[in-house]
C-alpha cells in the first residue's frame, strides 16, 4: 500500500473542500471495500478523507410519520441496519439484506454510504436501492436510484460529492434473495423485489456490470404478484457479465431462480 | 490405564499459550536490527528475462540491497534439490532440471522469484520492490496436463521432450492384461483430481540471521521438519556445515504438507543476512502463498476394472498423468508414484494391478505433498470406479465393497502393488459406519428431502492408506534421498521430572500432550512434569519431522524405545538399592519392585540416585538417567475404514450441501481420543473442501485465476455439518505402540464419498459423471446436459 | 507520520504511525501484541479479528489512524491476569484449537457472538463464524466450544 495523507474533517463542507480539485483524493467510510483495494495496490490515492468524525451521518430515522420514508445515514453500518428495530419493522427485506453482507466483522465496519459510493457490481445494497426506488442524498442534491448507477464501479456522484444519507420509500412488501459467491460472499446473483402501491420493482445485482432492473418481470408482477412469473424472465444477454467464473447461461438461470425466491419470500 | 495415559482424552498442555495470544510463530520473532525482504515475482508463466534494473529500487528509502539470480550464481548458491529420484520404465532416471533459488534468465511460472529486495521496514521493501524494473519477454506457456502432452505444446525444459519428467510403472502388466482378456465385465472411468492449495492459515515465513562473531547462521522458519531443512541447506543450497547452522521451527500455524519442503526463501534470507549484516525476515502474503507454496494433486487418470459377472474384482489398470509444475519440489516425484500407485489395491482383494504414471512439467507452481499426498488420488479413483462398477453391474454399492474387502483372516496381506498390509478389520469399520449413519433409514430421509425440493444422495468410500512413513531401506531402494526414521532423547531430571527431545514437529497435532501421555503411560509421571521439546536443531536430535501421519507411529515409537532404555537402566540402579538381582526387579506403575515382595523404590528415588550416585553401582552403571533412540519402522502402517456422506442437492441452483458425515476408522492404538477425533474432523473438512469447493484454476496462459481467498473457496463453518466419528482399533503389529496414524484419514477417505453421494442424488436425473470440485454451476450443467438441456 | 492515541487492552498509548499503517501492524509491530495474526490479504480469514469499541473487526481492514481515540481489545486483553475467559476455557476443554493460528481471531469473534446472542443454535454459530477460517479443526470442536461457552456464561448470569 502506498502512503497517503489522512484527513478527518469535522464537517461535510470541510470534507468537500479536501476533495475539491484533488482527483487523487478518496473518501473513506468503513473501508471494507477500500482497504482491500489499497492493500493490493489497485488504487493509490494521495489523500484519504475519513468521514468518521462528521456528526449526523449515523442516524436511522423515519421522516413524515408511519407512512413516511426511512432515512439511513451514510455511515450507518450494515450491522446497524440489520439489527435496527425500525428497519426490521418497516422494511424487513432491507434489514435481512444488510444482515447477509460479507460476514459479521465486515458488517460491523462497512457502511451503506461506502457501499453505494463504491458501487461494486456484486454488492448487495445497490439491489435494495434500485428495487425500493430509494433516493441517494448527497451534500448538494438528491439522486434517484434509477439515475445513480451508471456503470462498472461508476455512479452519478461528482468527484467531490459526498453521500450523506439514503432515503427509502417504505414498500408494502420486499425481499432479497442472494446466491453468494462461496469464497468472497459477494453476490453472484442477488435479486431484490419490492411491491409498492405504485407497482412492483425488481433489481438484479451481481449478474451484470452494474445493478439493473427487470422491467418485464416488474410489469408481470404488477399485474399478478405470483412467483411463477419469474420463470418467464428473460435477462437481456447484454446485461450479463462475461468472462467471469460463472457463465452467462448460468447467471441468467440464477436470476430466474433468485427472482422466484425473492417473490416467494415476499408472500 | 492411568488417567493421563493411553486412551485418556486429556485437554492439551499447549493450548494455554495459544489461547492467551502468547504463541510464538515465525513472524512473531523480530530480532535486533531486523530487516525485511520482499520478492519480485514473475507475472508471466513463461518469460525470458532480458534485464533487471534495480537502480531506482536501490535508491529508495531504507533499501539495503536488491539481489538477483546473477548475485546468487556469483555466490555459488545451490539450487533447490529434489529429494527423490524416480526411474522410468526404460531404466532412465527422471529429468531433474535445475531449480535456482532466484531465477536467472528465465521465469517458468507466475510467482517464480526474480529479485529480492531488502529494506529496513517491510513497507519500504514493498515500495522498493515496485521500483525494480524487469524486462520480460513473455512466451507461450502451458498449464494443463492434456495441453502439455499435446503435440507442439510449449516446452518447459529442453531436456524434457514432450514435457515428460518420467514415465514410470508398477505392477504386473502381463498378469493384468490376462485378467482383462478373460474378464466377464470391464468398467472404465476417466477423471481428474483437482489441483488444490494447501492454505495453512499461517502463511510461510523465514527469518535468517548470520552472526559474524560466531560465524553461525540461525533460521527461524515455518517448517514441519527443521532438521531436513538444515540438512538440505548444509549439503545442497547454502553449503555451510551443519554445526554452523541452527534451524528453529517455533510454533507453526498448520502445515498440511506445504511446510515439509525446503523453499528458496529459507536459503535466501540466510544468504542475504550475511550480505546486508542484518537479520532478514520474509513473511508471505496470502496471494504470494498461492504462487509460491507447493500445490497438491492435479492428476488426469484413466482407469479400468475387470470383474466377474457377479462383481468380484479381478484386475485394475490405471494410467495417470501427474502435474509436477515447473520444477521438482522436495518430494514431488514420490507422490504420484510410491504414495499413489502402491495404494491402488485399496482395502480390496484385486489379483492383478498395473499402473502407469507419467509425470509432466507445466508452467505452474510446483506440485508436491498436500494432506494425504498421493493416497487421496488413489482412493478417489478406486472408489469412484467401484461405485461405477456397482451401478453398471446392478449390484448394491455396499455389497460390492463387502464382497471384495480383504477379510481379517487374510492378514498379513500382500497386494500386487508392493505393499504388505499387516492388520485390519475392514468389514467391522464398514458395519460401524453404516450403523452410525443409520443406513437402513436412508430411503425415508431421501423422501423427506424430496418434499423440500432437494435431491438426497448417499455416498460411500471404503479406504486404506499407508502412513507411518517409512522404512529407510525400502524408501532408499525406491529412490528416496533420506532415511525416514525418527529420533528421541528422554532426559530424566534429578527430581524425577522428564524432558523429551523429539525429532517430530507439532504444528497442531498436540505432541506436547500426546507424547507426554506416552511417557506417562510408561513411567507413571504426571504429564505436567513432562516437557516435550521440538523444533530447534540445536536442542533436538536429528529427526525427520512430521508429515505422512508418521509422528505418533514413528516418533512415538522412538520415545517408547528411549523410555525402554531408561527403564532398564533404572532397574540396575534399583536392584543395587534394593540389594536384589536385576532379573528380579520389575517396573510397574512408576515403581521398581523386587518381584513377589513389597520391597520397592519409586522412579523418582531411582532418578535422584542416578544423579547423586553416593550409593551406586558405579563400576557397572554410569551416573545420570538420559537416553536416546532412533526408531526405523519395519513397514508402513495401514489405517483404513469407511466414510459415509449424505448430501442434499438443490436441483435449481446446483448447490450441494453436506448434511451428514459418519466415519469409522481404524487408526490403531489411540493415545488421546479427543485429539484423534479432532484430527479426523480437520481431515474431513479438507476432503470435503476438495470435493466441493477448492481448486487452483489456471487459465491457458498459466495465470492463476484463483489466487486469493476471494476466489479460492476455503471451507467455512457453515459449509460443514458436525461429524460422527467412530473408531475400531486393530493394533499395528510391527511397532511397539500399536499406533497407525490419523492425520490424513479424512482428506483421503472422504472426497469420493462426497462425489459418490452427489452422483447418487443426481442418478435419477441421468447424471453419471462429475469431476471435483462439484461446484454449483458444474452440477447444474451436468443436470442440464443429462436432461438434454442447452448446457 | 500521524500521532494517534488509543487504548489497547485498557492501557493508553500514544504512537506515531504512517497513515497507511494497518491496525494489525500497529498491534503486532509497534505494540508487540503478536497474538493477533495475519492469515490473508483480502480480509477473508479473520485471524486478525480484534474488538474496536467492543465490536469485532478485522484489524487488517482498518487503518491505525482510524482507531485514533478508540478502545481496542486483543486476545491478550480478553481476560486479565493470565486467566482464561469462559470462551478460552471452552476452546481448551472442547479441543477447539490445533495449530492455534486462527484461534485468537476465532475466540474474539465467538465471544462477541455469544454476547449478542447468548443462546445460539448450532446453525447460528456456524453462520456467525463466517468471517473466520480454520484449516485444522473442521470447525466441529470450535462450534462445540462456542455452544459450551454460551451455556457457561448463561449459567453464570443466573
Amino acid at each position: 500500500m502506498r502512503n497517503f495523507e489522512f484527513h478527518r474533517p469535522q464537517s461535510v463542507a470541510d470534507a468537500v473542500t479536501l476533495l475539491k480539485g484533488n482527483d487523487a483524493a478518496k473518501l473513506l467510510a468503513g473501508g471494507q471495500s477500500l482497504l482491500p483495494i489499497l492493500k493490493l495496490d489497485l488504487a493509490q490515492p494521495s489523500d484519504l478523507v475519513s468521514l468518521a468524525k462528521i456528526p449526523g451521518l449515523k442516524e436511522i430515522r423515519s421522516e413524515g410519520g408511519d407512512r413516511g420514508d426511512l432515512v439511513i445515514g451514510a455511515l450507518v453500518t450494515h450491522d446497524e441496519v440489520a439489527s435496527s428495530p425500525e428497519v426490521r419493522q418497516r422494511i424487513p427485506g432491507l434489514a435481512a439484506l444488510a444482515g447477509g453482507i460479507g460476514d459479521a466483522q465486515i458488517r460491523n465496519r462497512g457502511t451503506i454510504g461506502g457501499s453505494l459510493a463504491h458501487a461494486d457490481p456484486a454488492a448487495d445494497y445497490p439491489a435494495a436501492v434500485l428495487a425500493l426506488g430509494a433516493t441517494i442524498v448527497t451534500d448538494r442534491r438528491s439522486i434517484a436510484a434509477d439515475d445513480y448507477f451508471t456503470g462498472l464501479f461508476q455512479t452519478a456522484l461528482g468527484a467531490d460529492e459526498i453521500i450523506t444519507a439514503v432515503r427509502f420509500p417504505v414498500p408494502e412488501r420486499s425481499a432479497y434473495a442472494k446466491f453468494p459467491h462461496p469464497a468472497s460472499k459477494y453476490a453472484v446473483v442477488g435479486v431484490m423485489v419490492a411491491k409498492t402501491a405504485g407497482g412492483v420493482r425488481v433489481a438484479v445485482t451481481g449478474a451484470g456490470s452494474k445493478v439493473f432492473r427487470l422491467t418485464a418481470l416488474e410489469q408481470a408482477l404488477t399485474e399478478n404478484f405470483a412467483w411463477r412469473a419469474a420463470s418467464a424472465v428473460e435477462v437481456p444477454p447484454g446485461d450479463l457479465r462475461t468472462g467471469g467464473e460463472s457463465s452467462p447461461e448460468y447467471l441468467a438461470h440464477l436470476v430466474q431462480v433468485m427472482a422466484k425466491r425473492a417473490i416467494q419470500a415476499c408472500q | 490405564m492411568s488417567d493421563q495415559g493411553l486412551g485418556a482424552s486429556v485437554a492439551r498442555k499447549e493450548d494455554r499459550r495459544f489461547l492467551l495470544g502468547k504463541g510464538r510463530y515465525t513472524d512473531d520473532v523480530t530480532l535486533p536490527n531486523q530487516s525485511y525482504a520482499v520478492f519480485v515475482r514473475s507475472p508471466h508463466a513463461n518469460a525470458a528475462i532480458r534485464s533487471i534494473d534495480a537502480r531506482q529500487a536501490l535508491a529508495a528509502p531504507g533499501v539495503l540491497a536488491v539481489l538477483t539470480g546473477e548475485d546468487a550464481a556469483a555466490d555459488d548458491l545451490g539450487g533447490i534439490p529434489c529429494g527423490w529420484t524416480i526411474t522410468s520404465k526404460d531404466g532412465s532416471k527422471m529429468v531433474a532440471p535445475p531449480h535456482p533459488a532466484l531465477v536467472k534468465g528465465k521465469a517458468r511460472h507466475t510467482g517464480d522469484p526474480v529479485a529480492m529486495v531488502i529494506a529496513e521496514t517491510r513497507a519500504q521493501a514493498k515500495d522498493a520492490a515496485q521500483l525494480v524494473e524487469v524486462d520480460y519477454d513473455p512466451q507461450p506457456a502451458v498449464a494443463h496436463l492434456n495441453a502439455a502432452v499435446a503435440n507442439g505444446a510449449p516446452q518447459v525444459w529442453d531436456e524434457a521432450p514432450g514435457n515428460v519428467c518420467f514415465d514410470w510403472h508398477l505392477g504386473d502388466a502381463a498378469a493384468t492384461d490376462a485378467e482383462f482378456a478373460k474378464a466377464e465385465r470391464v468398467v472404465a472411468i476417466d477423471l481428474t483430481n483437482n489441483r488444490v492449495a494447501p492454505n495453512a492459515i499461517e502463511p510461510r515465513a523465514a527469518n535468517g540471521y548470520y552472526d559474524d562473531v560466531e560465524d553461525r547462521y540461525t533460521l527461524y522458519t515455518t517448517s514441519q521438519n527443521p532438521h531436513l531443512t538444515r540438512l538440505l541447506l548444509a549439503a545442497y543450497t547454502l553449503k555451510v556445515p551443519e554445526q554452523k547452522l541452527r534451524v528453529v521451527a517455533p510454533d507453526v500455524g498448520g502445515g498440511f504438507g506445504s511446510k515439509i519442503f525446503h523453499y528458496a526463501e529459507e536459503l535466501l534470507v540466510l544468504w542475504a543476512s550475511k550480505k546486508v549484516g542484518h537479520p532478514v525476515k520474509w513473511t508471505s502474503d496470502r496471494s504470494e502463498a498461492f504462487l509460491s507454496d507447493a500445490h497438491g494433486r492435479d492428476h488426469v487418470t484413466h482407469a479400468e476394472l475387470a470383474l466377474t459377472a457377479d462383481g468380484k474384482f479381478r484386475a485394475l489398470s490405471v494410467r495417470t498423468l501427474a502435474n509436477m509444475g515447473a520444477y521438482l519440489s522436495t518430494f514431488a516425484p514420490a507422490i504420484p508414484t510410491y504414495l499413489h500407485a502402491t495404494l491402488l489395491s485399496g482395502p480390496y482383494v484385486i489379483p492383478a494391478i498395473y499402473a502407469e504414471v507419467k509425470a509432466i512439467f507445466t508452467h505452474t507452481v510446483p506440485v508436491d505433498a498436500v494432506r494425504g499426498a498421493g493416497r487421496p488420488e488413489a482412493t478417489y479413483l478406486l472408489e469412484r470406479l467401484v461405485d461405477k462398477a456397482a451401478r453398471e453391474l446392478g449390484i448394491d454399492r455396499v455389497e460390492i465393497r463387502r464382497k471384495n474387502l480383504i477379510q481379517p483372516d487374510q492378514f498379513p496381506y500382500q497386494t500386487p502393488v508392493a505393499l504388505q498390509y499387516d492388520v485390519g478389520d475392514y468389514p467391522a469399520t464398514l458395519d460401524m459406519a453404516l450403523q452410525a449413519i443409520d443406513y437402513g433409514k436412508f430411503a425415508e430421509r431421501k423422501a423427506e428431502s424430496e418434499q423440500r425440493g432437494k435431491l438426497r444422495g448417499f455416498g460411500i468410500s471404503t479406504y486404506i492408506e499407508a502412513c507411518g512413513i517409512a522404512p529407510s531401506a525400502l524408501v532408499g531402494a525406491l529412490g528416496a534421498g533420506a532415511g525416514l526414521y525418527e529420533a528421541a532423547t528422554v532426559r530424566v531430571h534429578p527430581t524425577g521430572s522428564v524432558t523429551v527431545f523429539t525429532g517430530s514437529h507439532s504444528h497442531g497435532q498436540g505432541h506436547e500432550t500426546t507424547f507426554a501421555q506416552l511417557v506417562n503411560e510408561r513411567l507413571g509421571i504426571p504429564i505436567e512434569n513432562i516437557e516435550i521439546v521440538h523444533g530447534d536443531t540445536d536442542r533436538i536430535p536429528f529427526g525427520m519431522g512430521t508429515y505422512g501421519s508418521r509422528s505418533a507411529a514413528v516418533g512415538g515409537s522412538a520415545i517408547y524405545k528411549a523410555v525402554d532404555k531408561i527403564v532398564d537402566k533404572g532397574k540396575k540402579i534399583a536392584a543395587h538399592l534394593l540389594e536384589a538381582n536385576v532379573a528380579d526387579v520389575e517396573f510397574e506403575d512408576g515403581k521398581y519392585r523386587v518381584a513377589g515382595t513389597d520391597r520397592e523404590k519409586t522412579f523418582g528415588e531411582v532418578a535422584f540416585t542416578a544423579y547423586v550416585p553416593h550409593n551406586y553401582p558405579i563400576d557397572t552403571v554410569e551416573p545420570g538417567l538420559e537416553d536416546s533412540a532412533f526408531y526405523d519402522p519395519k513397514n508402513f502402517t495401514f489405517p483404513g475404514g469407511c466414510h459415509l456422506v449424505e448430501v442434499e442437492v438443490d436441483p435449481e441452483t446446483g448447490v450441494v450441501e453436506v448434511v451428514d458425515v459418519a466415519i469409522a476408522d481404524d487408526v490403531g492404538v489411540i493415545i488421546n481420543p479427543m485429539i484423534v477425533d479432532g484430527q479426523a474432523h480437520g481431515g474431513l473438512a479438507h476432503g470435503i473442501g476438495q470435493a466441493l469447493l477448492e481448486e487452483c484454476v489456471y487459465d491457458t496462459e498459466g495465470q492463476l485465476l484463483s489466487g486469493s481467498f476471494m476466489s479460492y473457496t476455503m471451507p467455512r463453518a457453515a459449509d460443514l455439518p458436525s461429524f460422527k466419528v467412530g473408531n475400531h482399533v486393530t493394533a499395528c503389529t510391527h511397532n511397539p505402540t500399536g499406533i497407525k496414524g490419523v492425520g490424513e484419514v479424512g482428506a483421503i477417505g472422504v472426497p469420493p464419498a462426497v462425489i459418490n453421494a452427489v452422483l447418487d442424488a443426481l442418478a435419477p436425473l441421468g447424471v453419471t459423471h462429475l469431476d471435483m470440485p462439484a461446484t454449483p454451476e458444474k452440477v447444474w450443467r451436468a443436470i442440464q446436459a443429462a436432461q438434454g438441456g442447452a448446457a | 507520520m500521524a500521532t494517534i492515541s488509543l487504548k489497547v487492552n485498557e492501557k493508553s498509548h500514544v504512537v506515531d504511525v504512517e497513515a497507511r499503517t494497518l491496525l494489525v501492524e500497529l498491534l503486532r509491530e509497534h505494540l508487540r501484541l503478536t497474538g493477533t495474526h495475519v492469515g490473508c490479504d483480502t480480509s477473508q480469514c479473520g485471524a486478525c479479528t480484534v474488538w474496536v469499541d467492543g465490536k469485532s473487526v478485522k484489524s487488517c481492514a482498518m487503518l491505525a489512524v482510524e482507531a485514533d481515540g478508540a478502545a481496542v481489545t486483543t486476545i491478550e486483553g480478553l481476560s486479565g491476569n493470565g486467566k482464561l475467559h469462559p470462551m478460552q476455557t471452552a476452546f481448551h476443554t472442547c479441543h477447539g484449537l490445533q495449530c492455534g493460528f486462527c484461534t485468537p481471531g476465532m475466540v474474539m469473534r465467538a465471544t462477541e457472538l455469544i454476547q449478542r446472542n447468548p443462546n445460539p443454535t448450532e446453525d447460528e454459530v456456524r453462520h456467525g463464524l463466517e468471517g473466520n477460517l480454520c484449516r485444522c479443526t473442521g470447525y466441529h470442536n470450535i462450534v462445540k466450544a462456542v455452544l459450551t461457552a454460551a451455556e457457561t456464561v448463561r449459567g453464570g448470569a443466573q
Side-chain angles (χ1 to χ4, degrees), chain A residues 112-134:
Chain A
I112 187 168
S115 171
L116 293 174
H118 185 56
D120 191 304
D124 298 300
Y125 266 131
V129 165
L130 193 58
L132 291 164

Side-chain angles (χ1 to χ4, degrees), chain C residues 41-73:
Chain C
D41 43 15
T42 51
S43 64
Q44 252 76 38
C45 81
C48 65
T49 300
V50 300
W51 295 347
V52 174
D53 294 328
K55 290 190 169 180
S56 66
V57 306
K58 292 178 176 172
S59 61
C60 77
M62 183 171 171
L63 299 170
V65 287
E66 291 184 272
D68 189 13
V72 176
T73 308

Side-chain angles (χ1 to χ4, degrees), chain A residues 97 123-132 149 176 190-192 203-205 211:
Chain A
L97 173 146
D124 298 300
Y125 266 131
V129 165
L130 193 58
L132 291 164
F149 300 99
Y176 180 61
V191 178
M192 183 89 177
V204 178
T205 190
V211 64

Side-chain angles (χ1 to χ4, degrees), chain B residues 302-341:
Chain B
H302 174 83
E304 297 185 13
L305 184 64
L307 304 92
T308 62
D310 64 349
K312 279 284 225 181
F313 304 158
R314 293 304 308 164
L316 174 70
S317 164
V318 174
R319 284 202 317 271
T320 287
L321 296 178
N323 201 333
M324 293 283 102
Y327 305 97
L328 295 177
S329 175
T330 311
F331 287 127
I335 310 305
T337 51
Y338 293 109
L339 288 176
H340 173 243

Side-chain angles (χ1 to χ4, degrees), chain A residues 1-2 40-41 44 103 179 181-186 245-247 249-250 253-254 257-258 260-261, chain B residues 126-127 130 287 650-655 693 709-714 716 719 776-777 780-781 784:
Chain A
M1 195 187 331
R2 298 300 179 85
L40 296 174
D41 276 322
Q44 299 178 345
D103 55 51
F179 190 87
H181 187 280
S184 73
K185 297 294 173 193
Y186 275 94
E245 275 179 57
S246 303
S247 67
E249 309 88 79
Y250 186 55
H253 171 73
L254 284 179
V257 177
M258 293 301 119
K260 178 182 98 175
R261 290 180 184 183
Chain B
K126 277 195 173 182
D127 287 348
Q130 300 202 3
S287 31
D650 176 350
E652 278 190 329
T653 59
V655 167
L693 306 170
F709 284 162
M710 294 283 281
S711 48
Y712 185 99
T713 309
M714 291 280 285
R716 287 178 165 88
D719 296 322
E777 178 163 357
W780 177 77
R781 283 183 171 281
Q784 300 305 303

Side-chain angles (χ1 to χ4, degrees), chain B residues 352-428:
Chain B
I353 300 176
Y354 179 66
E356 292 173 291
V357 177
K358 223 183 247 192
I360 304 299
F361 291 113
T362 58
H363 292 108
T364 63
V365 173
V367 179
D368 204 325
V370 168
R371 199 173 199 164
R375 293 152 291 171
E377 296 92 313
T379 305
Y380 182 69
L381 81 85
L382 190 57
E383 290 304 292
R384 285 286 308 274
L385 189 52
V386 168
D387 243 41
K388 194 169 182 207
R391 280 192 196 281
E392 291 191 7
L393 272 65
I395 301 174
D396 179 82
R397 289 167 292 161
V398 174
E399 289 319 306
I400 198 170
R401 288 176 167 87
R402 201 184 287 287
K403 192 186 274 264
N404 288 285
L405 288 177
I406 300 162
Q407 296 301 305
D409 61 6
Q410 289 179 278
F411 293 101
Y413 179 80
Q414 178 63 51
T415 74
V417 275
L419 297 178
Q420 191 187 73
Y421 305 162
D422 63 332
V423 67
D425 187 346
Y426 308 140

